[in-house]
């Protein structure tokens, strides 16, 4: 996002603000200014800031602009060694409290060493004020996710969309954006004709009494079989669609009943996973679809094609959208055209994010191109993204199915997660230590946490194998490892006999020291949190946050292994508590808790 003026002004007084600094962004600004004053004739100089990697010799960040600048100069006939360019840039960097020192190394890399005073101060600000998001330009973002289809199955793909969408929404909400979470439910297709016709036969009194359909998918299959095999039924089904779209009351009622059964099923999943979302299905757009068809027709965008009305994103390239079917009905394409218009013009969205399987990528590209042609979408001011994810596979590397080949019901999947999580906790004898209530909390935390984390920690461009065994491993970058690590960190102050009140007192009385190499490393990792969030707003890949969380946990373990927080004598009595380290532990727990929250995981303090 482009930073507006108000934000820039706010940024200027950053050191006094409560918000966390986005270090990479700040360094970019510092170096951009330096490069521009060192090379005023370069119109758009490259500003490249990267993390330095593991060798402390190379500092914390690097500015790698000297080489590309040398290349640009070369092209205009000026020969200047990158090393000289790097030195010139360094000479123009204005002093900043963030930077301890700059060093030019190798072929012209500028190594940036962060200031210990600065890092220490920022950590104590977090302790005092909580984790405040980095400043950014606030936008209205519409996140279209989950979006299952009524009466058809809600499958693991919808689950993945639900989990990713919830996390993306949480992250954007934390950054201060206005997020509109939309469930674009498939609730308006021709399938309703056969469903209604079947309902009329099975439950003729449906207008007086709610039909007891418990298994809507079975109901769907029955009606589909009749539709395929019985021409009379098929005819009636078509007639039902027409009456439904004409909003005849008894047909609307039947439709509502069917949607309600689905809605209750979906809601159960959302509640168990703690996901909030507003339903605005395809049916919502009926009127708007009629309007947009007229609009596109009048503007001359629609072409006749064997009775259909189609629209090209780019004339003759790829496949066109079907805006009106030959029977006059609307399609998935029509509803998305109506939806994008409504979202940009009524919701005033600055940014729309769609989350589905990767297979729908061309569909959305097409929608955007058509919306641009029609003057609805302007990609210079609006941002649109499709988060397309890979397929969820079973351990046999085929599409995840039950043994009998059916789609797995999500409730069953979540139940299995609960069962497996409990087994895991019992393996570790936790049931003997925890109260029944604590055990239940831990069980849910692990079960839902591991399913979500598996979805989020895999690069979403790839397919991934759904395996409870893998998810529940307690080593490596898994939810179980991280949730345990968090619990252990939370127990440190408890083991020192420090109450939460006592820790609060320390915050004002004690300053954090980062003298030990491992303390210093952990402190810097903790301050990278905003960098990670901002990166995700750019590429929308949530596994960065999982990797970061894992890095925090690992850095903490390294710190804890070599730095005593609590010293005990041979009889186990506490002889000394290191207050500064207790505080560092506290900040670590805060950052981890925030990461968990953004990923939709519920850590527990006892497990
Ligand atoms: N219902 C669709 C499906 O199950 C997903 C809808 C995604 N959102 C949209 N605006 N098209 O594949």
């Amino acid at each position: 996002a482009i930073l507006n003026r108000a934000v820039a002004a706010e940024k200027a007084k950053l050191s006094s603000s409560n918000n966390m600094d986005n270090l990479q962004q700040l360094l970019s600004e510092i170096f951009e200014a330096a490069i521009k004053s060192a090379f005023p004739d370069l119109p758009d100089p490259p500003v490249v800031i990267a993390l330095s990697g593991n060798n402390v010799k190379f500092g914390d960040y690097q500015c790698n602009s000297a080489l590309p600048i040398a290349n640009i100069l070369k092209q205009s006939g000026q020969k200047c060694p990158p090393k000289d360019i790097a030195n010139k840039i360094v000479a123009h960097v204005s002093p900043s409290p963030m930077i301890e020192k700059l060093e030019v190394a190798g072929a012209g890399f500028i190594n940036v060493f962060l200031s210990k005073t600065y890092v220490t101060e920022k950590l104590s600000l977090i302790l005092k004020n909580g984790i405040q998001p980095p400043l950014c330009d606030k936008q209205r973002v519409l996140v279209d996710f989950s979006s299952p289809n009524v009466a058809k199955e809600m499958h693991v793909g919808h689950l993945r969309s639900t989990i990713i969408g919830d996390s993306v929404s949480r992250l954007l909400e934390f950054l201060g954006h206005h997020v509109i979470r939309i469930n674009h439910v498939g609730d308006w297709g021709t399938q309703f004709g056969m469903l209604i016709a079947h309902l009329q036969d099975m439950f003729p009194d449906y207008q007086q009494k709610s039909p007891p359909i418990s298994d809507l998918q079975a109901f769907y299959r029955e009606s589909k079989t009749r539709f395929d095999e019985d021409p009379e039924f098929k005819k009636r089904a078509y007639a039902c669609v027409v009456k439904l779209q004409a909003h005849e009351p008894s047909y609307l009622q039947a439709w509502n009943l069917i949607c309600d059964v689905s809605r209750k099923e979906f809601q159960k999943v959302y509640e168990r996973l703690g996901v909030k979302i507003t339903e605005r299905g395809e049916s919502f757009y009926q009127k708007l679809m009629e309007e947009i068809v007229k609009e596109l027709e009048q503007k001359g965008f629609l072409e006749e094609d064997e009775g259909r009305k189609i629209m090209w994103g780019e004339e003759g390239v790829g496949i066109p959208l079907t805006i009106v079917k030959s029977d006059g009905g609307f399609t998935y394409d029509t509803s998305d055209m109506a939806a994008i218009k409504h979202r940009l013009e009524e919701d005033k969205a600055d940014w729309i994010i769609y989350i589905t399987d990767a297979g729908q990528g061309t569909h959305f590209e097409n929608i955007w191109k058509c919306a641009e042609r029609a003057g609805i979408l302007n990609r210079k001011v609006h941002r649109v993204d499709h988060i397309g994810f890979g397929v969820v596979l079973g351990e046999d590397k085929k599409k995840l199915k039950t043994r009998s080949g059916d789609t797995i019901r999500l409730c069953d999947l979540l139940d299995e997660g609960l069962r497996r999580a409990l087994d895991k906790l019992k393996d570790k004898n936790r049931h003997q230590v925890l109260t029944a209530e604590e055990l239940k909390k831990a069980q849910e935390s692990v079960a839902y946490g591991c399913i979500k984390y598996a979805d989020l920690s895999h690069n979403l461009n790839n397919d991934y194998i759904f395996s409870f065994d893998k998810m529940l491993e307690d080593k490596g970058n898994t939810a179980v490892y991280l949730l345990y690590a968090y619990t252990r960190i939370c127990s440190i102050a408890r083991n020192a006999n420090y109450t939460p009140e006592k820790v609060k007192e320390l915050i004002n009385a004690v300053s954090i020291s980062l003298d030990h190499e491992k303390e210093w490393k952990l402190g810097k990792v903790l301050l990278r949190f905003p960098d990670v969030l901002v990166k995700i707003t750019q590429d929308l890949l949530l596994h960065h946050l999982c990797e970061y969380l894992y890095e925090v946990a690992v850095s903490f373990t390294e710190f804890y292994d070599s730095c005593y927080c609590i010293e005990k004598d041979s009889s186990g009595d506490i002889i000394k508590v290191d207050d500064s380290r207790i505080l560092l532990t506290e900040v670590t727990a805060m950052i981890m808790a925030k990461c968990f929250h953004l990923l939709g995981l519920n850590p527990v303090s006892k497990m």
Side-chain angles (χ1 to χ4, degrees):
I2 307 154
L3 292 167
N4 61 27
R5 242 162 213 246
V7 172
E10 266 180 89
K11 270 181 169 271
K13 47 174 197 208
L14 249 191
S15 45
S16 60
S17 104
N18 289 339
N19 293 69
M20 277 186 88
D21 290 351
N22 177 357
L23 299 188
Q24 193 146 357
Q25 169 86 35
L26 289 179
L27 286 172
S28 279
E29 286 165 16
I30 290 172
F31 277 94
E32 185 176 345
I35 292 169
K36 282 191 170 153
S37 73
F39 300 94
D41 298 334
L42 283 186
D44 200 10
V47 183
V48 191
I49 305 289
L51 268 179
S52 282
N54 269 334
N55 194 339
V56 286
K57 223 172 72 193
F58 299 129
D60 303 305
Y61 290 86
Q62 283 184 334
C63 170
N64 299 336
S65 295
L67 264 101
I69 291 178
N71 283 331
I72 298 175
L73 291 176
K74 206 164 153 192
Q75 274 158 25
S76 60
Q78 303 171 57
K79 247 197 163 149
C80 191
K83 212 166 183 154
D84 294 353
I85 296 175
N87 281 316
K88 197 163 171 195
I89 296 173
V90 168
H92 280 83
V93 171
S94 40
S96 153
M98 279 171 75
I99 302 173
E100 178 70 38
K101 64 172 177 183
L102 298 172
E103 259 174 29
V104 175
F109 304 105
I110 305 170
N111 296 331
V112 182
F113 295 78
L114 291 179
S115 135
K116 217 169 254 187
T117 320
Y118 170 84
V119 173
T120 313
E121 271 170 17
K122 288 293 162 183
L123 291 175
S124 50
L125 265 184
I126 297 176
L127 284 168
K128 288 191 185 123
N129 305 318
I131 302 170
Q132 306 295 331
L135 292 169
C136 66
D137 185 12
K138 309 278 180 270
Q139 301 202 306
R140 293 176 68 82
V141 193
L142 192 142
V143 187
D144 172 324
F145 70 102
S146 192
S147 310
N149 301 313
V150 168
K152 295 188 201 158
E153 77 289 13
M154 178 173 183
H155 52 70
V156 278
H158 294 121
L159 180 68
R160 200 166 189 200
S161 168
T162 307
I163 291 169
I164 295 172
D166 181 48
S167 183
V168 166
S169 302
R170 284 165 180 261
L171 194 147
L172 296 173
E173 281 155 0
F174 174 62
L175 290 176
H177 296 298
H178 180 87
V179 178
I180 310 167
R181 299 161 167 244
I182 292 294
N183 199 356
H184 192 82
V185 175
D187 63 356
W188 203 237
T190 36
Q191 80 264 29
F192 280 96
M194 65 185 200
L195 287 166
I196 292 173
H198 192 50
L199 182 79
Q200 290 171 336
D201 296 343
M202 301 300 290
F203 305 101
D205 59 347
Y206 74 86
Q207 293 192 64
Q208 281 76 46
K209 221 170 83 205
S210 245
I213 311 174
S214 60
D215 190 345
L216 195 54
Q217 281 177 50
F219 188 83
Y220 180 90
R221 279 197 299 271
E222 287 159 27
S223 68
K224 177 91 173 91
T225 311
R226 291 183 69 193
F227 185 85
D228 291 339
E229 290 169 2
D230 177 354
E232 273 311 302
F233 181 81
K234 196 169 187 164
K235 244 200 212 148
R236 248 182 69 213
Y238 279 128
C240 286
V241 180
V242 176
K243 294 204 164 124
L244 175 64
Q245 306 219 330
H247 290 152
E248 265 195 42
S250 73
Y251 288 81
L252 271 181
Q253 194 187 350
W255 168 77
N256 253 319
L257 285 171
I258 295 167
C259 289
D260 255 349
V261 179
S262 267
R263 194 171 289 130
K264 285 196 187 111
E265 280 301 301
F266 300 159
Q267 202 50 43
K268 270 189 220 152
V269 173
Y270 299 142
E271 255 154 43
R272 289 176 76 169
L273 297 178
V275 172
K276 290 203 183 66
I277 188 163
T278 306
E279 183 179 324
R280 198 193 276 165
E282 292 172 20
S283 64
F284 173 88
Y285 300 98
Q286 172 63 27
K287 199 144 180 23
L288 301 172
M289 287 193 276
E290 290 161 21
E291 285 170 18
I292 192 132
V293 169
K294 256 192 230 139
E295 177 183 335
L296 296 176
E297 192 133 55
Q298 273 163 12
K299 292 185 178 161
F301 290 121
L302 300 190
E303 246 174 62
E304 201 64 34
D305 178 70
E306 295 176 11
R308 303 180 306 152
K309 288 180 185 161
I310 58 167
M311 177 169 178
W312 292 94
E314 214 177 311
E315 200 67 48
V317 179
I319 41 161
L321 294 181
T322 300
I323 301 292
V324 185
K325 288 192 294 186
S326 49
D327 66 4
F330 298 146
T331 70
Y332 188 51
D333 296 346
T334 330
S335 79
D336 264 323
M337 284 300 285
I340 196 168
K341 183 173 164 77
H342 186 264
R343 291 165 181 186
L344 294 175
E345 293 176 6
E346 303 303 317
D347 290 320
K348 305 245 181 294
D350 302 300
W351 183 7
I352 307 176
I353 304 174
Y354 302 82
I355 306 173
T356 72
D357 60 280
Q360 299 199 35
T362 41
H363 164 73
F364 290 112
E365 277 299 336
N366 243 338
I367 293 287
W368 301 335
K369 277 191 195 145
C370 288
E372 278 195 286
R373 274 189 72 196
I376 295 166
L377 168 70
N378 175 357
R379 289 176 87 163
K380 289 204 184 83
V381 283
H382 304 122
R383 176 171 171 189
V384 282
D385 282 294
H386 174 231
I387 303 186
F389 49 80
V391 183
V392 184
L393 302 171
E395 289 184 81
D396 55 3
K397 300 203 174 155
K398 298 207 184 94
K399 245 185 159 166
L400 191 65
K401 294 259 151 116
T402 63
R403 245 171 240 160
S404 58
D406 289 333
T407 341
I408 293 185
R409 293 186 42 196
L410 292 188
C411 279
D412 295 342
L413 190 85
L414 299 181
D415 285 343
E416 185 177 350
L418 282 177
R419 223 167 28 243
R420 298 269 213 132
L422 188 60
D423 290 347
K424 182 89 197 174
L425 290 162
K426 284 190 171 163
D427 276 354
K428 291 176 169 272
N429 280 324
R430 304 317 294 161
H431 58 303
Q432 288 167 352
V433 190
L434 300 175
T435 66
E437 198 189 325
E438 285 168 344
L439 185 66
K440 183 163 181 284
K441 270 198 170 162
Q443 177 192 11
E444 290 180 352
S445 163
V446 169
Y448 303 146
C450 79
I451 295 174
K452 289 183 178 184
Y453 199 76
D455 260 339
L456 297 168
S457 59
H458 287 89
N459 183 328
L460 51 86
N461 293 314
N462 304 335
D463 296 348
Y464 89 93
I465 294 173
F466 190 98
S467 154
F468 274 121
D469 289 336
K470 282 246 152 56
M471 288 178 200
L472 288 167
E473 270 172 17
D474 41 24
K475 285 195 191 67
N477 188 1
T478 67
V480 178
Y481 168 76
L482 293 164
L483 289 166
Y484 265 109
Y486 177 76
T487 320
R488 237 175 289 126
I489 294 173
C490 289
S491 69
I492 294 171
R494 259 202 320 268
N495 292 340
N497 295 326
Y498 279 19
T499 60
E501 292 72 38
K502 164 94 184 172
V503 175
K504 281 231 170 67
E505 278 167 33
L506 291 186
I507 291 173
N508 294 312
V510 177
S511 58
I512 295 180
S513 130
L514 299 173
D515 289 338
H516 192 285
E517 157 209 1
K518 299 291 182 191
E519 293 172 329
W520 179 217
K521 184 174 166 212
L522 174 62
K524 287 186 291 188
V525 170
L526 294 172
L527 285 201
R528 263 189 23 234
F529 179 59
D531 285 7
V532 178
L533 301 187
V534 170
K535 187 177 163 82
I536 297 173
T537 62
Q538 289 153 3
D539 63 17
L540 299 172
L541 295 173
L542 285 161
H543 68 271
H544 299 315
L545 187 56
C546 300
E547 273 160 18
Y548 172 73
L549 175 57
Y550 183 59
E551 192 182 343
V552 171
V554 170
S555 307
F556 182 83
T557 308
E558 284 178 16
F559 150 77
Y560 196 62
D561 284 348
S562 40
C563 299
Y564 279 114
C565 291
I566 305 170
E567 263 178 77
K568 292 183 178 173
D569 62 17
S570 52
S571 61
D573 290 333
I574 297 174
I575 45 177
K576 192 179 155 224
V577 177
D578 187 314
D579 287 346
S580 154
R581 289 175 180 169
I582 293 286
L583 288 182
L584 196 51
T585 303
E586 191 68 14
V587 194
T588 308
M590 286 169 78
I591 295 276
M592 285 185 78
K594 185 54 90 183
C595 290
F596 283 128
H597 174 78
L598 297 180
L599 295 167
L601 272 65
N602 278 326
V604 285
S605 54
K606 263 191 174 170
M607 195 163 90

